[in-house]
């Protein structure tokens, strides 16, 4: 059974820092692209950052130069370092794991962790 468990959310002041973690189990972690998505109240879920199985990264324009995604394959964990967060970064943050295997897309989600940025 695949599980993605996010942690590290909470209340932080704007300009501070926060690190989210996502611990994965039940999958070959190193073969998956891992991503962080977020959903703010009344808005659609959006991509924040993604890291490929090979370590390449991509970011939403709104978080470039402030957030950093990284992974530790030995710990089956992906991280999102959030520096200088802004109130508009307030959202539920979700971890996602995705890969294509034998023409089949495998896609898994965590339950999310709430991040609140106060002004």
């Amino acid at each position: 059974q695949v599980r993605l468990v996010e942690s590290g959310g909470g209340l932080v002041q704007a300009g501070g820092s926060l690190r989210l973690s996502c611990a994965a189990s039940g999958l070959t972690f190193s073969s998956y692209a891992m991503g962080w998505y977020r959903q703010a109240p009344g808005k659609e879920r959006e991509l924040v950052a993604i890291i490929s199985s090979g370590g390449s990264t991509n970011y939403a324009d709104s978080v470039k130069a402030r957030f950093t995604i990284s992974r530790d394959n030995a710990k089956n964990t992906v991280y999102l370092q959030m520096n200088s967060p802004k109130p508009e970064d307030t959202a539920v943050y979700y971890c996602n794991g995705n890969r294509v295997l034998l023409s089949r897309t495998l896609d898994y989600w965590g339950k999310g962790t709430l991040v609140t940025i106060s002004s």
Side-chain angles (χ1 to χ4, degrees), residues 3-36:
R3 291 188 70 204
L4 300 179
V5 180
E6 302 95 338
S7 61
L11 174 63
V12 176
Q13 277 195 326
S17 65
L18 194 66
R19 189 175 83 156
L20 306 183
S21 300
C22 171
S25 60
L27 74 171
T28 307
F29 181 79
S30 60
S31 297
Y32 279 72
M34 299 300 298
W36 287 98

Side-chain angles (χ1 to χ4, degrees), residues 58-78:
N58 198 16
Y59 297 90
D61 288 343
S62 59
V63 306
K64 278 181 182 176
R66 298 189 298 120
F67 293 5
T68 301
I69 189 171
S70 61
R71 66 189 299 158
D72 186 337
N73 289 340
K75 295 182 178 180
N76 285 5
T77 301
V78 61

Side-chain angles (χ1 to χ4, degrees), residues 3-109:
R3 291 188 70 204
L4 300 179
V5 180
E6 302 95 338
S7 61
L11 174 63
V12 176
Q13 277 195 326
S17 65
L18 194 66
R19 189 175 83 156
L20 306 183
S21 300
C22 171
S25 60
L27 74 171
T28 307
F29 181 79
S30 60
S31 297
Y32 279 72
M34 299 300 298
W36 287 98
Y37 291 73
R38 68 186 181 188
Q39 187 167 19
K43 296 188 176 181
E44 294 187 353
R45 190 173 298 190
E46 64 175 359
L47 174 68
V48 176
I50 191 166
I51 184 166
S52 72
S53 57
S56 300
T57 58
N58 198 16
Y59 297 90
D61 288 343
S62 59
V63 306
K64 278 181 182 176
R66 298 189 298 120
F67 293 5
T68 301
I69 189 171
S70 61
R71 66 189 299 158
D72 186 337
N73 289 340
K75 295 182 178 180
N76 285 5
T77 301
V78 61
Y79 304 96
L80 184 70
Q81 179 67 43
M82 304 171 62
N83 294 333
S84 301
K86 304 174 182 179
E88 51 263 43
D89 294 320
T90 294
V92 177
Y93 283 71
Y94 297 90
C95 178
N96 172 264
N98 183 281
R99 72 170 296 191
V100 177
L101 179 63
L102 300 175
S103 301
R104 179 186 171 198
T105 298
L106 304 177
D107 193 65
Y108 301 103
W109 292 90

